[in-house]
Amino acid sequence: MVEKFLVPVLAVMITIIGFAVFLQVTMEIMPPSLAALAVALAFGFFYLRTHKKLVLITSIVWGLYVLYELEMWREGANIRVDIFLVWPILFVLTAIGIGSFLWSLQAKRR
């Protein structure tokens, strides 16, 4: 019974930590488009391991976000109000993608 609640909680915790690292990396080390590309590629790898559609969708959405960030960089957009809409969507989708990946790993162990 505890295992049913552990995966969603763990997925949200990993997502929160991941977004904190993502913000830190994009502010100090590399542009957001490169950091988002790393996330998209990670979810692509997760998809190859699990073949879950939710993980694939998460990878595709992060890939689209890479293109979006590149366009914002090309336009020279410094004040980004759109982030208040985009990042919550990415956050929820990332948590769902991580949860799907973890559930798949847990199912393979049994």
Side-chain angles (χ1 to χ4, degrees):
M1 188 71 172
V2 174
E3 292 177 2
K4 288 184 178 181
F5 296 107
L6 186 61
V7 170
V9 169
L10 189 58
V12 170
M13 289 174 54
I14 291 171
T15 304
I16 290 170
I17 293 168
F19 263 81
V21 169
F22 181 80
L23 287 173
Q24 189 68 25
V25 165
T26 58
M27 289 181 185
E28 296 183 13
I29 299 174
M30 66 179 71
S33 56
L34 286 178
L37 180 62
V39 175
L41 291 175
F43 274 104
F45 173 75
F46 295 163
Y47 173 73
L48 292 176
R49 292 273 324 260
T50 63
H51 299 289
K52 293 286 186 181
K53 288 181 184 178
L54 283 172
V55 177
L56 177 63
I57 291 169
T58 305
S59 178
I60 290 170
V61 170
W62 272 99
L64 292 173
Y65 179 67
V66 169
L67 297 176
Y68 179 72
E69 277 295 328
L70 287 172
E71 182 63 23
M72 291 296 109
W73 173 77
R74 189 181 70 79
E75 293 290 327
N78 291 331
I79 300 173
R80 303 279 307 277
V81 178
D82 58 310
I83 295 295
F84 291 112
L85 175 67
V86 174
W87 280 12
I89 293 169
L90 284 173
F91 183 86
V92 169
L93 189 61
T94 301
I96 292 169
I98 291 172
S100 178
F101 175 69
L102 293 175
W103 259 312
S104 177
L105 291 181
Q106 187 179 22
K108 285 183 180 180
R109 288 184 183 170
R110 291 181 183 183

